[in-house]
């Protein structure tokens, strides 16, 4: 094949040398606009895993890179007058110029033709090429030429950053956070050779403008940074190699992803690689890794399909299919880390103590979990767990080397209620009641989860009137007989476990009068079995759903009275906690979302108007619920549909409920409209909880795709939520909490005394399995 790599960065150079090494018959050219052995940039970072892959694919260049790189395991954080350090993280730093020079020399040795000082405007300049690698960076001219085919999605992020260097050497990947009168600045610092360290400084647009950095020269801007970070610099100057840039050289990061990565131009196959195809924020140091991995995978596909030009289409198709998955994973992690730094001041730095701030920063990408931190630095994590336990009110000796319980097993107090641990069994519809009554099924179902160790037990949404039900088989609380069934359940849980009981009150609204899920989810019951529906507006949930009646003031007064009566009945059961359901498209949610609220009166339009009726309900039930017991509010924090509520809207509503006396926000999302398009994934709803907890200043429950103790400990430790709600895992395993404790080696969590022999055997079996697995390694 005749191959042309347009752009001599890591992607183009590494692909050229790998292909030439694997198949010397190829004629390969790399065309670069810079001079020979000249490049810009300070240091780049990639992981130990990437270095190991490079050793497999080309031991010669890998050995030279390894001789030139700086390796470190430690991360150090300077914050609020403290220095904290943790180890075991495994980074590689190397000068960008040194890395490219090594790859250039290796290409020359293998017979790759390197062409410098040539600026390529179009792929058509090489009509004889079979394959053109567009590795010409973020501002790729090739990608721009075929924008309608490649479908680039470029988002300019709000933070400003400046990429500098210093001749002071740092022995750890160092983060320095400094507060000014106008906001926070942070420095990302790492050594990349024996003389120089990269020094990236980042801040918000607001702080950038307020300090006048937009009007400064580069030198004045550098002087500002030297003064701000003088403590960590210890007199060393900051240096720039961006004199070619106008102004102060502060940039915005551009996040790029393309809908398609390859195209046949009539003569040649063109494929995007590296920053031309995708970018990932420097917060996790993955740009060079992605470029190297692109080059490896495309080479691998030619090895598998064959190096003849007839195999190019198949190789490119599989390359994109495989790489798209890994790139999405890295970009998601980079996005999480990037967004953490974008809101670090108002969300974390202003409120967190140094210990929790450090944990939050280490886990910012959500790729590093609680137990992963234990593998990296057991002593540091144990110290943090002890700090968290002490903050939660547990007795912990100073400088104790004893492992205390991890965060999910610490107690949590809200008003006069103290939970034994931070795990909540989510409310999940069982559709198993008759006339709204708790029966033996509910006693066994909920009672077994209480015995299984959860700190707080929710039943399904409990409806405040017969016409408030989702299905004819939903639980209700509108009469004394139903109250008595609830009291029986509450008494059982209190007498036989440490769990507390929560009642979630709600009204189905336009999503009512439907069949149980296993008979057709959201499908309406027949007319004879149904009842008239009410909602904010006359918007049916499905095209075949009953059309609801828009609520009148008389309807509102009746519904408020129903909620008050249900709350009074709930209080008389001895339940510990009340939750108002204002999510998932049910009645109160239908007022909050602009997708379901089309009203033109004082209950529609603005946030305040849309929240008016839900707040009327909340204030009415708060007035009759015991003052020493909490009330939480469940919100859909994202409608996942165009024109619907976003996390920013949810934060506005959370503030309103907080001001009205809510104690906690239960942060769910979706189910407001049927055409929603949620983006699922591990802990995918946790960012909503994080935002509301740390920007609004109200406790939260995180819910959704939390399925391991590791997940819960990560969320709670980082301050992203105060409690974690676990749903489906509790359906699969009533003793989920107890089993998760055993899996992480926590044997101090008590089981019901009747089950103690099972506890011993379960823990012993886990220990045997772990020993057997270790022996096989």
């Amino acid at each position: 094949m005749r191959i042309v790599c347009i752009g001599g960065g890591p992607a183009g150079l590494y692909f050229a040398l790998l292909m030439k090494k694997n198949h010397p018959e190829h004629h390969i050219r790399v065309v670069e606009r810079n001079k020979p052995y000249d490049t810009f940039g300070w240091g780049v970072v990639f992981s130990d895993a990437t270095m190991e892959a490079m050793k497999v694919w080309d031991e010669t260049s890998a050995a030279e890179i390894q001789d030139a790189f700086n390796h470190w395991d430690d991360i150090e954080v300077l914050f609020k007058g403290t220095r904290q350090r943790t180890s075991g993280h495994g980074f590689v730093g190397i000068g960008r110029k040194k890395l490219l020079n090594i790859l250039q020399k290796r290409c020359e040795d293998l017979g790759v033709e390197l062409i410098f000082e040539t600026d390529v405007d179009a792929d058509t300049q090489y009509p004889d090429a079979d394959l053109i690698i567009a590795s010409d960076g973020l501002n790729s001219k090739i990608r721009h030429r075929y924008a309608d085919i490649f479908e680039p999605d470029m988002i300019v992020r709000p933070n400003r950053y400046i990429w500098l260097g210093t001749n002071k050497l740092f022995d750890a990947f160092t983060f320095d956070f400094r507060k000014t009168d106008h906001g926070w600045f942070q420095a990302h610092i790492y050594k990349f050779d024996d003389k120089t360290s990269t020094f990236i400084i980042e801040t918000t647009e607001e702080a950038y403008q307020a300090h006048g950095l937009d009007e400064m020269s580069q030198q004045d801007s550098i002087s500002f940074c030297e003064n701000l970070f003088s403590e960590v610099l210890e007199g060393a100057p900051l240096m720039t190699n961006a004199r070619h840039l106008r102004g102060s050289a502060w940039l915005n990061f551009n996040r790029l992803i393309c809908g398609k990565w390859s195209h046949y131009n009539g003569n040649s196959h063109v494929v995007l690689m590296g920053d031309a195809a995708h970018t990932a924020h420097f917060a996790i140091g993955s740009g060079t890794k992605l470029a190297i991995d692109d080059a490896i995978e495309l080479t691998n596909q030619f090895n598998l399909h064959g190096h003849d030009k007839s195999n190019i289409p198949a190789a490119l198709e599989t390359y994109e299919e495989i790489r798209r998955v890994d790139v999405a994973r890295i970009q998601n992690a980079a996005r999480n880390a990037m967004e953490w730094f974008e809101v670090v001041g108002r969300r974390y730095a202003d409120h967190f103590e140094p210990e929790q701030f450090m944990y939050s920063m280490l886990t910012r990408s959500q790729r590093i979990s609680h137990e992963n931190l234990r593998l990296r630095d057991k002593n540091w994590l144990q110290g943090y767990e002890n700090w968290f336990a002490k903050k939660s009110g547990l007795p912990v000796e100073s400088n104790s080397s004893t492992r205390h319980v991890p965060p999910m097993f610490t107690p949590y107090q809200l008003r006069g209620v103290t939970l034994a641990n931070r795990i909540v069994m989510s409310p999940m519809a069982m559709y198993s009641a008759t006339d709204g009554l708790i029966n033996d099924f509910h006693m066994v179902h909920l009672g077994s989860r209480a015995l299984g160790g959860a700190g707080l037990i929710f039943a399904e949404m409990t409806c405040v009137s017969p016409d408030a039900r989702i299905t004819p088989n939903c639980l209700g609380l509108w009469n004394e007989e139903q109250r008595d069934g609830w009291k029986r359940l509450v008494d059982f849980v209190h007498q036989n476990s440490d769990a507390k009981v929560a009642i979630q009150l709600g009204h189905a609204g336009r999503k009512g009068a439907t069949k149980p899920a296993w008979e057709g989810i959201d499908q309406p019951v027949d007319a004879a079995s149904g009842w008239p529906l009410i909602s904010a507006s006359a918007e049916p949930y499905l095209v075949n759903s009953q059309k609801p009646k828009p609520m009148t003031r008389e309807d509102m007064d009746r519904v408020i009275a129903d909620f008050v009566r249900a709350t009074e009945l709930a209080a008389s059961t001895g339940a510990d906690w009340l939750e108002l359901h204002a999510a998932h498209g049910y009645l109160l949610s239908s007022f909050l979302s602009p997708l379901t609220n089309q009203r033109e009166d004082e209950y529609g339009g603005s946030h305040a108007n849309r929240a008016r009726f839900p707040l009327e309900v909340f204030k009415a039930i708060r007035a009759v619920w015991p003052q020493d017991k909490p009330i939480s509010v469940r919100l859909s924090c994202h409608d996942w549909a165009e024109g619907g509520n976003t996390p920013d809207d949810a934060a506005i509503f959370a503030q309103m409920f907080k001001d009205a006396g809510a104690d906690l926000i239960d942060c769910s999302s979706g189910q407001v409209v049927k055409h929603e398009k949620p983006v699922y994934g591990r802990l995918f709803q946790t960012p909503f909880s994080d935002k509301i907890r740390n920007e609004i200043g109200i406790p939260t429950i995180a819910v959704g795709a939390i399925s391991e103790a590791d997940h819960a400990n990560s969320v709670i430790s980082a301050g992203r939520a105060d409690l974690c709600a676990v749903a489906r895992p509790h359906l699969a395993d009533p003793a989920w909490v107890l089993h998760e404790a055993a899996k992480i080696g926590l044997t101090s969590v008590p089981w019901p005394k009747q089950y103690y022999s099972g506890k011993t055997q379960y823990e012993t079996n886990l220990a045997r399995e772990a020993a057997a697995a270790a022996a096989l390694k």
Side-chain angles (χ1 to χ4, degrees):
M1 286 188 290
R2 300 182 67 84
I3 301 171
V4 177
C5 298
I6 301 175
L13 287 170
Y14 202 61
F15 177 73
L17 79 84
L18 292 184
M19 285 292 282
K20 193 67 173 177
K21 175 188 174 185
N22 278 267
H23 205 82
E25 291 80 6
H26 293 317
H27 180 271
I28 304 177
R29 282 179 284 177
V30 177
V31 186
E32 168 58 40
R33 65 181 180 178
N34 292 321
K35 296 178 181 180
Y37 291 91
D38 186 21
T39 186
F40 297 97
W42 295 104
V44 296
V45 175
F46 45 91
S47 68
D48 286 348
T50 300
M51 191 68 247
E52 291 303 313
M54 294 177 77
K55 290 178 184 178
V56 172
W57 281 89
D58 184 47
E59 190 173 352
T60 302
S61 60
E64 193 170 352
I65 292 169
Q66 188 161 15
D67 287 341
F69 71 48
N70 286 269
H71 180 274
W72 65 93
D73 284 320
D74 290 2
I75 292 177
E76 185 169 81
V77 175
L78 284 70
F79 177 67
K80 292 183 177 178
T82 67
R83 281 180 181 261
Q84 300 179 84
R85 184 178 284 234
T86 175
S87 191
H89 300 283
F91 295 100
V92 172
I94 187 171
R96 176 176 170 81
K97 181 175 181 178
K98 182 66 175 178
L99 173 64
L100 295 187
N101 290 168
I102 290 171
L103 298 181
Q104 288 165 357
K105 179 64 167 59
R106 179 63 171 148
C107 281
E108 288 180 334
D109 292 344
L110 289 167
V112 174
E113 181 184 358
L114 301 183
I115 302 173
F116 294 96
E117 298 182 80
T118 301
D119 204 350
V120 179
D121 293 319
D123 53 301
T124 52
Q125 293 174 226
Y126 302 95
D128 61 336
D130 300 306
L131 176 65
I132 294 176
I133 306 297
S135 51
D136 50 343
L138 175 66
N139 299 312
S140 169
K141 293 180 180 179
I142 311 303
R143 186 191 66 240
H144 181 71
R145 177 181 174 85
Y146 300 110
D148 57 331
I149 294 168
F150 291 132
E151 299 177 347
D153 177 13
M154 183 91 75
I155 297 176
V156 179
R157 300 303 303 184
N159 267 17
R160 293 278 184 162
Y161 72 94
I162 186 169
W163 203 297
L164 303 172
T166 180
N167 53 21
K168 180 187 173 183
L169 302 181
F170 290 79
D171 64 349
F173 201 132
T174 302
F175 296 91
D176 189 2
F177 296 84
R178 298 285 161 173
K179 188 173 186 179
T180 71
D181 292 340
H182 301 296
W184 287 83
F185 286 71
Q186 55 265 5
H188 310 235
I189 314 163
Y190 55 88
K191 181 175 69 172
F192 63 84
D193 63 26
D194 60 355
K195 297 178 182 178
T196 328
S197 298
T198 292
F199 206 103
I200 308 170
I201 300 165
E202 183 181 10
T203 192
T204 62
E205 180 70 19
E206 293 78 12
Y208 169 79
Q209 296 278 353
H211 281 286
L213 289 164
D214 57 321
E215 299 178 354
M216 291 184 188
S217 67
Q218 277 196 49
Q219 191 52 55
D220 288 343
S221 185
I222 290 170
S223 297
F224 171 87
C225 294
E226 286 174 340
N227 181 63
L228 182 58
F229 292 98
S230 58
E231 180 182 342
V232 74
L233 283 168
E234 297 179 320
L238 290 172
M239 306 176 291
T240 181
N241 59 11
R243 299 294 182 190
H244 60 292
L245 296 178
R246 295 180 180 180
S248 64
W250 289 78
L251 304 171
N252 293 90
F253 179 76
N254 296 280
R255 195 279 292 149
L256 169 70
I257 187 66
C258 292
K260 195 173 188 301
W261 293 9
S262 63
H263 167 61
Y264 182 65
N265 68 10
N267 291 310
S268 312
H269 292 274
V270 181
V271 61
L272 303 177
M273 190 176 286
D275 282 354
H278 44 67
T279 59
H281 193 262
F282 55 81
I284 64 170
S286 55
T288 303
K289 168 189 165 53
L290 288 175
I292 295 295
D293 288 348
D294 282 353
I296 288 174
E297 187 54 51
L298 187 51
T299 304
N300 182 52
Q301 289 309 315
F302 279 112
N303 287 350
L304 294 173
H305 287 89
H307 282 256
D308 187 85
K309 63 183 179 182
S310 63
N311 295 315
I312 292 176
L316 294 185
E317 181 180 356
T318 314
Y319 157 75
E320 180 177 342
E321 181 182 346
I322 292 173
R323 289 298 297 140
R324 189 176 288 281
V325 173
D326 189 53
V327 167
R329 181 179 60 83
I330 295 295
Q331 282 193 322
N332 286 340
R335 183 199 64 229
N336 292 336
M338 172 183 67
E339 292 177 349
W340 190 92
F341 282 107
E342 289 173 351
V343 299
V344 66
R346 70 177 184 269
R347 190 177 293 182
Y348 310 114
D350 281 340
H351 313 296
F352 280 17
E353 294 182 54
E355 292 83 356
Q356 189 163 52
F357 184 85
M358 174 80 161
Y359 187 103
S360 178
M361 199 214 70
L362 291 174
T363 59
R364 64 193 181 276
S365 72
Q366 297 189 33
R367 286 195 307 170
I368 298 176
S369 68
H370 197 77
E371 293 307 314
N372 186 263
L373 281 175
R374 197 182 309 280
L375 291 174
R376 292 167 184 247
D377 192 340
K378 178 181 178 181
N379 291 335
W380 181 87
L381 183 63
Q382 185 168 301
Y384 180 75
E385 288 181 336
N386 290 353
W387 175 87
F388 196 100
K390 188 174 183 179
K391 291 289 294 183
S392 301
L394 295 177
V396 178
E397 297 178 8
S398 298
N399 302 318
S400 173
S401 60
T402 303
R403 179 189 178 189
H404 288 264
V405 295
M408 68 177 273
F409 288 102
T410 58
Y412 181 72
Q413 183 174 350
L414 203 58
R415 293 200 184 228
V417 174
T418 299
L419 305 181
N421 61 57
R422 308 294 186 105
I423 299 300
V424 176
M425 177 191 160
S426 274
M428 291 172 282
M430 295 290 104
Y431 308 123
S432 298
T434 301
D435 297 327
L437 291 167
I438 280 180
N439 56 37
D440 288 348
F441 170 82
H442 300 96
M443 290 294 297
V444 174
H445 168 63
L446 298 168
S448 62
R449 273 72 186 173
L451 293 173
L456 182 65
I457 300 294
F458 270 100
E460 63 203 79
M461 183 178 88
T462 300
C463 305
V464 297
S465 62
D467 67 338
R469 292 174 296 170
I470 308 168
T471 76
N473 305 106
C474 289
L475 284 178
L477 193 50
W478 60 80
N479 61 43
E480 286 74 13
E481 186 179 8
Q482 294 162 344
R483 185 270 318 274
D484 292 344
W486 264 105
K487 188 175 188 309
R488 180 183 171 220
L489 173 67
V490 171
D491 289 345
F492 173 86
V493 171
H494 287 169
Q495 291 165 11
N496 292 278
S497 75
D498 293 327
K500 304 299 183 184
V501 179
I503 298 178
Q504 184 191 70
L505 296 180
H507 190 300
R510 72 186 191 129
K511 295 177 75 175
T514 64
K515 299 176 182 178
W518 48 83
E519 294 180 12
I521 189 165
D522 297 323
Q523 294 302 312
V525 297
D526 59 76
S529 304
W531 51 86
L533 302 183
I534 55 175
S535 188
S537 301
E539 299 286 332
Y541 185 59
L542 303 177
V543 292
N544 63 324
S545 295
Q546 181 190 148
K547 187 175 182 178
K549 167 195 166 189
M551 289 181 73
T552 64
R553 182 67 253 180
E554 182 181 2
D555 294 325
M556 292 180 190
D557 291 339
R558 176 179 66 82
V559 169
I560 290 172
D562 290 341
F563 271 98
V564 168
R565 181 181 65 240
T567 300
E568 291 172 334
L569 290 169
S572 66
T573 68
D576 308 285
W577 188 297
L578 196 70
E579 180 163 282
L580 180 64
H581 201 325
H584 299 166
Y586 297 126
L587 182 64
L588 301 186
S589 171
S590 74
F591 277 85
L592 295 177
S593 176
L595 298 175
T596 51
N597 185 338
Q598 307 298 319
R599 301 176 73 101
E600 296 181 355
D601 60 6
E602 67 271 29
Y603 292 95
S606 68
H607 289 98
N609 282 359
R610 301 204 308 271
R612 191 183 305 275
F613 178 59
L615 286 170
E616 288 176 1
V617 173
F618 178 84
K619 291 173 183 177
I621 66 173
R622 178 72 269 182
V624 298
W625 181 249
Q627 288 300 301
D628 63 337
K629 294 182 179 182
I631 301 183
S632 55
V633 177
R634 174 165 276 212
L635 291 178
S636 282
C637 297
H638 201 317
D639 286 352
W640 301 110
E642 185 175 354
N645 283 332
T646 67
D648 288 338
D649 299 300
I652 293 171
F653 293 132
Q655 182 69 62
M656 292 178 179
F657 280 108
K658 177 187 176 184
D659 293 343
D663 299 293
L664 179 146
I665 303 297
D666 189 352
C667 300
S668 188
S669 72
Q671 302 178 55
V672 174
V673 292
K674 201 65 175 178
H675 62 274
E676 67 180 3
K677 294 182 179 179
V679 180
Y680 295 112
R682 184 174 62 90
L683 310 180
F684 75 106
Q685 295 182 137
T686 300
F688 312 143
S689 168
D690 189 352
K691 178 181 178 69
I692 287 173
R693 180 185 190 270
N694 295 313
E695 292 185 13
I696 304 305
I698 184 170
T700 58
I701 299 177
V703 56
I706 299 171
S707 59
E708 302 173 9
D710 197 21
H711 298 163
N713 279 319
S714 300
V715 169
I716 295 165
S717 295
R720 296 186 177 101
D722 298 274
L723 303 171
C724 283
V726 176
R728 290 172 181 146
H730 264 128
L731 296 182
D733 182 0
W736 181 86
V737 174
L738 301 180
H739 290 160
E740 287 299 304
K743 288 174 184 177
I744 62 173
L746 191 67
T747 60
S748 60
V749 174
W751 287 36
K753 58 182 178 291
Q754 297 92 336
Y755 300 163
Y756 253 76
S757 60
K759 176 180 188 292
T760 303
Q761 185 180 59
Y762 191 81
E763 292 168 352
T764 299
N765 288 342
L766 287 175
R768 287 173 178 163
E769 290 171 9
L776 293 174
K777 290 182 179 180

